[in-house]
Amino acid sequence: SEGADGEKSQAQSKKRKAPSDPSWYDMEDTKNNNIYVSGLPLDYSEQEFYDLMSKCGIVKDDEDTEEPRIKLYRTPEGQLKGDGRCCYLKHESVALALQILDGSTVGNSTISVQRAVFERRGDFDPSLRKKKKPKKKNKKNVQEKLLGWNEPKKGPTRRKSDKIVIFRHCFSPREFEEDACLITEIRDEMKAECEKCGPVHKVLVFDRHPEGVLSVAFKDFEGPEKCVAMMNGRWYGGRQLEVTIWDGVTSYQIEETDLERVDRLKKWEEFISIDDAPAEQSAAADTSS
């Protein structure tokens, strides 16, 4: 058993690597998200520098101070030297900055952008190395959230139905029996009025609904709220409007019966024949003359 224990301890010692002496090391380009900018105006502020760098990506925040990791270099007297450094959250932003910002004009100056190179100065002193702090549990990376396509959530989650506004008492279905073109007029008028509140995607007229219902779908969430505040209680065509956000459940489509369909087609034919009558009478008059 002693021999087995000895072999086991020798195997474990072979697996263990001897700790290397602390020394300088080179940072790989793929892990270096820092850029160096020179040629900046001498009156350039850190906020202006931050705004410029943000055009190419998200600037990384310092874990301790939670401030953007940007720096404008100064002389011992505190005067700006016209150069600075920025650290991005993602490496792809570095290539974009080199492509877009290098050689661009800032104020009256032409700036130069290049990958930041960290030079070794003096002997390596491990005592000066920044100690790692223990990570807090369940702490979410706020900066990673900024990379998502979805908009940041503020308050309760918004539903797609919140973009749709329901109008009641806009018309009487009987009005369309007398003039079918009235549907288009109401739709266009309502769209033009609602566009004062925001971009409108679609307007639907439920021409058979007894409450005279139409819906307006907006492209954003702000438009419906403004629309309800502006349009609810107003008068349109002699009727007082009732305007609300769609509940996402109620259907306002009314299916017509076979008898109603036959009656509608008959009235439509009569409507067309009335419009064509003056033209036929005029043609007959020209022939007789």
Side-chain angles (χ1 to χ4, degrees):
S1 60
E2 293 181 358
D5 293 340
E7 292 177 359
K8 184 176 180 181
S9 60
Q10 290 179 1
Q12 290 178 348
S13 62
K14 289 182 180 180
K15 292 181 181 179
R16 296 171 185 168
K17 292 183 179 180
S20 57
D21 296 332
S23 62
W24 293 106
Y25 65 93
D26 294 326
M27 181 182 292
E28 299 179 8
D29 287 342
T30 56
K31 296 181 179 180
N32 183 10
N33 296 347
N34 297 271
I35 62 171
Y36 174 74
V37 184
S38 59
L40 294 168
L42 296 180
D43 59 348
Y44 216 52
S45 67
E46 288 191 354
Q47 182 60 49
E48 290 174 320
F49 185 55
Y50 174 80
D51 294 339
L52 178 65
M53 295 297 99
S54 298
K55 293 180 179 180
C56 297
I58 299 175
V59 178
K60 190 174 183 179
D61 289 343
D62 186 271
E63 294 180 358
D64 296 331
T65 64
E66 297 184 356
E67 294 293 331
R69 292 183 62 177
I70 58 173
K71 181 178 182 180
L72 292 178
Y73 293 104
R74 299 176 180 270
T75 64
E77 293 76 23
Q79 301 296 323
L80 290 173
K81 298 171 61 177
D83 58 349
R85 176 172 56 86
C86 171
C87 180
Y88 284 109
L89 179 64
K90 288 296 181 180
H91 185 70
E92 292 78 6
S93 301
V94 176
L96 190 60
L98 295 173
Q99 180 182 358
I100 295 178
L101 298 180
D102 185 37
S104 62
T105 302
V106 176
N108 296 325
S109 305
T110 300
I111 64 173
S112 173
V113 180
Q114 54 189 331
R115 297 179 188 274
V117 178
F118 298 93
E119 299 179 353
R120 306 174 184 178
R121 296 180 180 177
D123 297 331
F124 183 83
D125 186 355
S127 64
L128 299 178
R129 183 168 52 186
K130 191 175 181 180
K131 295 182 180 180
K132 293 184 179 180
K133 294 183 178 182
K135 295 182 179 180
K136 294 181 180 180
K137 294 182 179 181
N138 301 326
K139 182 179 180 181
K140 295 183 179 179
N141 192 334
V142 178
Q143 295 182 100
E144 291 291 347
K145 285 184 178 181
L146 298 176
L147 299 173
W149 287 104
N150 296 328
E151 298 178 356
K153 295 181 179 179
K154 297 180 180 180
T157 304
R158 308 298 293 270
R159 303 172 301 172
K160 290 183 178 180
S161 59
D162 291 340
K163 293 183 179 181
I164 300 176
V165 177
I166 299 299
F167 286 73
R168 289 181 174 84
H169 316 306
C170 299
F171 55 83
S172 171
R174 295 181 179 179
E175 295 175 345
F176 301 138
E177 297 177 1
E178 301 173 359
D179 184 1
C181 297
L182 189 60
I183 295 179
T184 304
E185 294 179 10
I186 293 177
R187 183 183 62 214
D188 294 344
E189 289 176 357
M190 281 297 182
K191 182 179 180 181
E193 193 68 17
C194 290
E195 283 180 336
K196 298 178 182 179
C197 304
V200 174
H201 174 64
K202 185 189 296 183
V203 177
L204 294 178
V205 179
F206 300 95
D207 57 300
R208 301 191 58 79
H209 200 284
E211 291 186 276
V213 176
L214 64 82
S215 67
V216 179
F218 286 86
K219 295 182 180 180
D220 55 33
F221 291 105
E222 290 74 19
E225 296 175 354
K226 295 178 181 178
C227 182
V228 172
M230 184 181 76
M231 302 292 288
N232 188 39
R234 287 180 56 177
W235 292 82
Y236 176 75
R239 302 178 180 87
Q240 189 172 22
L241 299 177
E242 181 182 341
V243 185
T244 57
I245 302 293
W246 184 39
D247 59 11
V249 178
T250 306
S251 174
Y252 299 96
Q253 189 67 44
I254 304 296
E255 298 293 337
E256 63 180 350
T257 63
D258 293 339
L259 183 61
E260 289 173 336
R261 185 179 297 106
V262 172
D263 185 56
R264 175 174 58 82
L265 292 175
K266 181 180 178 181
K267 291 181 179 179
W268 177 248
E269 291 176 357
E270 294 175 354
F271 176 76
I272 295 177
S273 63
I274 293 175
D275 288 347
D276 292 340
E280 295 175 355
Q281 292 175 2
S282 176
D286 293 341
T287 303
S288 61
S289 60

